[in-house]
Amino acid sequence: MRKLLFTILSFLTMAIAIAQTKTSLFFEANISNRNSDAISFLDRNNGKEIKKITVDKNGLFKDSFSVEEGFYMLFDGKEYTQMFLKNGYDLKMNMDAQKFDESIVYTGKGALENNVLAQNTIIDSKYDYDTLLTLPEAEFLAKIALKKDADLGILNNKQLDPNFVLLQKKNVDQSIVGLTTFHQEAMKTSKMNGSISPTFDYDNYSGGKTKLEDFRGKYVYIDVWATWCAPCRAEIPFLKKLEEKYHQKDIVFLSLSIDQAKDVEKWKKLIKDKELGGVQVFADNDWNSQFIKDYNITGIPRFILIDPNGKIVKADAPRPSSPKIEAEFDKLLK
């Protein structure tokens, strides 16, 4: 009787474990040089946190939790990486946060799909989008056709989860549509180069009003940004380095915020906390400001380069993080 009871209990324990596996996933991360003592999984569509894991006494992040199958973002307090999650996964990550994307390796159930995403990120970071978006239409279409074939070719591995492949193919299609739209906008924007720039008259962080005409006789590098924009804030360290390198040259670094009026104090606090330099101005009507409309700005960050006579050099200039921006400045600021 005792042996029978033990057998029944063992069976029930196993059944419960199997049921839990089907309704949740297990995740463990070993992160060296970590940026914080907590990591978060975010819904990729709305940024909502679905799970937060704090580091344990052994320096590991590990927990079980339930998810709806799909793509998520893992945030380590500083950087993000995309992941594909589904219940039943037993997934382990190893990473050096100082070499964030390059060092990510997954093992365990679910590793194949997530290693594909990790490698895609590395490949994507090396792709020259700046040049792509300036190509003539025929050349652009040929290039993105090749890119699409390459992106889809990675998904030919029959061991990949079919749902992952289906969703990733949709991502590839959406990416191509997005690039095509950006290219059309870039072609439209480039036609502004060489013309007199639209102007503005906005509140200055240091007090009073500032007009674009105030900087005639100097080049002006404009950063259109907002405090809520993560890619904008990621450019701040690079922008500071540019300001430091070219501070004795005839160029003004001007940051133009399109935050909503209700967030003006948040804007001021960030400028103070981050010790932002250059000229800081606040647009009069966020996205609906006339300057923003004149430049047809639909996404940020956006950088604009204007010459000493008020003419547009580049209506969509390279970002501070781009290796091309210093070459652009060196050519102009002799």
Side-chain angles (χ1 to χ4, degrees), residues 84-204:
F84 178 74
L85 302 178
K86 64 183 294 184
N87 294 329
Y89 273 6
D90 184 358
L91 191 59
K92 294 180 176 61
M93 165 198 268
N94 277 282
M95 177 178 69
D96 180 346
Q98 289 187 355
K99 301 176 182 178
F100 192 88
D101 293 321
E102 302 90 334
S103 65
I104 294 175
V105 176
Y106 296 97
T107 56
K109 189 174 182 180
L112 183 60
E113 292 75 17
N114 284 288
N115 281 326
V116 165
L117 292 178
Q119 287 302 308
N120 278 357
T121 298
I122 295 173
I123 294 169
D124 199 55
S125 68
K126 296 177 181 178
Y127 198 86
D128 189 358
Y129 287 103
D130 288 342
T131 298
L132 179 71
L133 295 175
T134 62
L135 294 175
E137 185 174 9
E139 192 174 350
F140 168 79
L141 292 174
K143 288 283 188 182
I144 62 168
L146 290 173
K147 185 179 189 307
K148 181 176 181 179
D149 287 344
D151 290 344
L152 292 177
I154 296 171
L155 303 175
N156 287 335
N157 187 336
K158 292 183 179 180
Q159 292 182 324
L160 288 168
D161 184 293
N163 287 342
F164 168 79
V165 172
L166 181 62
L167 291 172
Q168 189 66 353
K169 283 183 176 180
K170 289 181 180 179
N171 284 340
V172 171
D173 288 338
Q174 290 172 356
S175 173
I176 297 301
V177 170
L179 283 171
T180 302
T181 301
F182 281 134
H183 181 259
Q184 292 170 347
E185 293 295 330
M187 292 298 98
K188 181 179 178 181
T189 299
S190 67
K191 293 178 181 178
M192 298 179 69
N193 296 344
S195 62
I196 293 294
S197 173
T199 190
F200 58 78
D201 188 9
Y202 293 151
D203 289 336
N204 190 308

Side-chain angles (χ1 to χ4, degrees), residues 2 34 37 55 80 126 183 189 232 249 270 289 331:
R2 184 177 297 175
R34 61 180 183 267
D37 289 335
V55 69
Y80 297 84
K126 296 177 181 178
H183 181 259
T189 299
C232 301
K249 300 289 186 178
L270 190 145
S289 301
K331 181 177 67 177

Side-chain angles (χ1 to χ4, degrees), residues 258-294:
I258 59 168
D259 279 287
Q260 294 183 7
K262 67 180 179 63
D263 292 324
V264 66
E265 293 304 320
K266 181 180 178 182
W267 168 70
K268 290 180 179 179
K269 184 177 186 302
L270 190 145
I271 292 172
K272 182 179 179 181
D273 291 347
K274 297 290 185 180
E275 298 180 335
L276 302 187
V279 179
Q280 301 285 337
V281 299
F282 196 89
D284 58 358
N285 196 17
D286 51 83
W287 288 102
N288 294 310
S289 301
Q290 192 59 48
F291 184 81
I292 304 304
K293 290 181 177 180
D294 289 341

Side-chain angles (χ1 to χ4, degrees), residues 56-94:
D56 67 15
K57 62 182 181 180
N58 297 314
L60 299 174
F61 300 88
K62 58 182 181 179
D63 206 346
S64 297
F65 56 99
S66 297
V67 293
E68 291 185 14
E69 180 178 329
F71 292 103
Y72 294 85
M73 301 302 294
L74 183 149
F75 178 55
D76 78 332
K78 182 179 180 181
E79 299 197 59
Y80 297 84
T81 189
Q82 183 179 207
M83 296 186 67
F84 178 74
L85 302 178
K86 64 183 294 184
N87 294 329
Y89 273 6
D90 184 358
L91 191 59
K92 294 180 176 61
M93 165 198 268
N94 277 282

